Amino acid sequence: MLMVSITVFVLAAFVGFEVITKVPPTLHTPLMSGSNAISGITIVAAIIVSGRAEGALATTLGVVAVILATINVVGGFLVTDRMLEMFKRDPR
């Protein structure tokens, strides 16, 4: 099971790197917005897992996962907002 998990992780990292390097700069903002939506799913999953956890270690790891996923989503939306500001025209 560990080898399968490592293989899936390595393949996902390779595919992710290849996709990100091939995306033109004009599509980075929509891609980042989509990634933020997927990270929202991560928050929901972390809340569910931490709620069902048995033991202090599992609960602590679940809470840490919720905190890190929230930081990821908020930071992603802030960066997306900043990138969208770059496309607005100056009101001159």
Side-chain angles (χ1 to χ4, degrees), residues 46-47 49-51 57-70:
I47 290 171
V49 168
S50 64
L57 178 63
T59 303
T60 303
L61 288 176
V63 170
V64 169
V66 170
I67 291 169
L68 291 177
T70 303

Side-chain angles (χ1 to χ4, degrees), residues 27-41 73 76-77 80:
L27 294 178
H28 280 185
T29 302
L31 183 64
M32 185 174 286
S33 296
S35 298
N36 287 336
I38 293 171
S39 294
I41 296 170
V73 169
F77 277 116
T80 301

Side-chain angles (χ1 to χ4, degrees), residues 1-8:
M1 186 66 181
L2 180 63
M3 284 303 293
V4 172
S5 298
I6 291 173
T7 303
V8 168

